[in-house]
Amino acid sequence: MQEKRTKIICTISDINCDVDFIEKLYRSGMNLVRINSAHASLEGAQRIVDNTRAVSDKIGILIDTKGPEVRLAPMDSAVGFKVSEGDKIVVKAGDGKCSHGILYTNCKSFVHDVPEGAHVLIDDGLVDLLVEHKDSEHLECLVINNGVIKGKKSVNVPNVKICLPALTPKDKTFVEWAIKANVDFIAHSFVRSKEDVQEIQQILDEHHSEIKIISKIENQQGVDNLEEILIGCYGVMVARGDLGVEIPAERIPLIQNQIVQKCRRFRKPVIIATQMLHSMIENPRPTRAEVTDIANAIFQRTDAIMLSGETAQGKYPVECVEMMYKIAREAEKSTDASLDMKYNLVQDHIMKPIAATLARNLVEASIQLPVKAIIFDTWTGRTGRYLAEFRPKVPIYAMCYQERTMRELAMIFGIYCYPIQIQKSKEELVNESIRLLKEEGRLEEGDLVGIIGGSFNSEIGATYLEFKYVGKE
């Protein structure tokens, strides 16, 4: 049976993270585990890491930072208070608890930063407030729709720049933990500019950490500054939850497609996230709209699709992964190799142009010749990312010299990883790679394989391309 090539990320809660559960998800098609630091303790996060590593050394682990976000201050009433269209609400500067008609936020500069005429959206947009007047102490707002306001709920102000730090104290604690725990990726929330990426990269550099940064695009600033953000990070997550609050909903599909295509031009992996199988939190089957949403993400050529509440606290977590697997495998049947990518437009950002050129030539050859598989050896996974961007129809097998490289490639479309020792010669590398794949039944005698290889160190990279028929033992 042909395996799916789109990678699946599952959010795991520390409440439900035993080895058997993670193994079931892995056997069903999960490639990466996501830990949401907003809902996990350090002890719980470590338990998820330990149990994931016990299942397989090929599963990548990603942790989200909570990120700089504006929230309402606490409120004494747990049920909040009702508001009606036309009511007046005051948002005050300084510290204080929210009460009927008066709101405070956790952002000290909120009143200063928000202009008259802006819309303040409470609780993911369930309540819309229009700022009619402001002074240095407060905002006077008009309630646009009926609703309920509760303490600690999210606050968004579309198209307005709020002065927030890139990392909160909690984020820094989790980043330092992630370095010690040897996590593979940090998904940095609410990235607005290259400076946000640089701030977290500086911490990683100080600890000589190889953790890769995934920039979560969740607001208009992130969309506007995407190119400079891409230069400094490993990949991008299209986080459609907050993005859908910050930006009009009807624009989200177009923006998602634009982000995916730009990531592909820059040879950076991209993840589509949020509510992909949301109905399956409670129901055993998805809606037709959800199936189409997943398929469309694959048609756009995303690298990975992500489950959040579906696997963190849903009733049917394994069924969600199985469903994603089936949808991906079916959608991938209609995708073709794309050799028309204008990588010359971003040539300055391609670190190894020889590898990129060899990758394109090999994928083109796999269309014209009866190539059954592509094989490459790698220290860093870079050649694999170049190969994957051209979306060959045949599987790509990575012979990895480092465990971390296998986990990093768990995010990249169409790549299957194997650990391998450094061989004495090119011929021994090719023969050992073919032997491993024959043992698993992925190759058989007479198959033609395409191979990209190079010098056996991390500096030189890919330098040759060749073809070989699989012979007898």
Side-chain angles (χ1 to χ4, degrees), residues 152-180:
K152 296 185 178 180
K153 293 299 181 181
S154 63
V155 179
N156 296 85
V157 189
N159 300 315
V160 172
K161 182 177 180 180
I162 307 295
C163 292
L164 293 166
L167 291 167
T168 66
K170 181 178 181 180
D171 292 335
K172 293 178 180 178
T173 299
F174 265 93
V175 169
E176 291 173 357
W177 165 82
I179 293 169
K180 295 176 183 176

Side-chain angles (χ1 to χ4, degrees), residues 192-335:
R192 298 156 294 184
S193 65
K194 64 181 180 182
E195 285 78 18
D196 289 349
V197 180
Q198 290 167 350
E199 185 167 337
I200 195 168
Q201 186 63 59
Q202 182 177 349
I203 298 174
L204 298 176
D205 291 344
E206 288 171 356
H207 290 81
H208 308 288
S209 173
E210 296 182 86
I211 292 176
K212 301 299 189 293
I213 299 172
I214 305 298
S215 297
K216 294 178 67 176
I217 305 302
E218 303 181 77
N219 51 43
Q220 188 64 54
Q221 282 179 270
V223 174
D224 293 341
N225 297 324
L226 182 59
E227 289 202 8
E228 68 174 39
I229 291 169
L230 279 169
I231 294 171
C233 67
Y234 183 84
V236 156
M237 181 189 297
V238 185
R240 302 181 301 181
D242 282 280
L243 194 62
V245 178
E246 291 278 340
I247 294 173
E250 65 273 14
R251 292 184 56 213
I252 298 302
L254 177 61
I255 288 174
Q256 173 178 309
N257 186 55
Q258 290 173 340
I259 293 174
V260 171
Q261 301 315 314
K262 190 159 289 187
C263 287
R264 295 203 58 228
R265 281 181 51 221
F266 276 72
R267 301 298 195 273
K268 299 296 178 83
V270 57
I271 304 162
I272 303 299
T274 314
Q275 296 185 333
M276 302 213 79
L277 287 175
H278 187 72
S279 69
M280 287 188 71
I281 292 177
E282 297 290 338
N283 302 304
R285 292 177 59 83
T287 66
R288 276 60 170 176
E290 288 168 338
V291 173
T292 303
D293 180 38
I294 293 171
N296 280 335
I298 294 167
F299 296 152
Q300 291 171 352
R301 300 176 185 271
T302 187
D303 285 89
I305 44 184
M306 194 175 91
L307 294 165
S308 299
E310 299 96 331
T311 49
Q313 73 262 4
K315 294 180 180 178
Y316 305 97
V318 176
E319 291 84 351
C320 283
V321 179
E322 292 172 343
M323 178 57 64
M324 266 195 163
Y325 186 103
K326 290 188 287 187
I327 297 168
R329 199 178 60 205
E330 198 67 27
E332 288 162 6
K333 291 178 181 178
S334 66
T335 60

Side-chain angles (χ1 to χ4, degrees), residues 74-130:
M75 187 182 299
D76 287 332
S77 171
V79 297
F81 61 88
K82 293 182 179 180
V83 293
S84 302
E85 180 182 351
D87 287 352
K88 301 289 186 177
I89 294 282
V90 173
V91 181
K92 288 192 173 183
D95 297 322
K97 285 189 175 182
C98 297
S99 59
H100 196 287
I102 300 175
L103 303 177
Y104 292 88
T105 74
N106 64 346
C107 176
K108 305 300 183 185
S109 65
F110 188 77
V111 169
H112 175 270
D113 293 339
V114 177
E116 292 180 359
H119 284 263
V120 177
L121 306 180
I122 309 295
D123 196 4
D124 291 338
L126 293 181
V127 176
D128 184 357
L129 309 179
L130 174 64

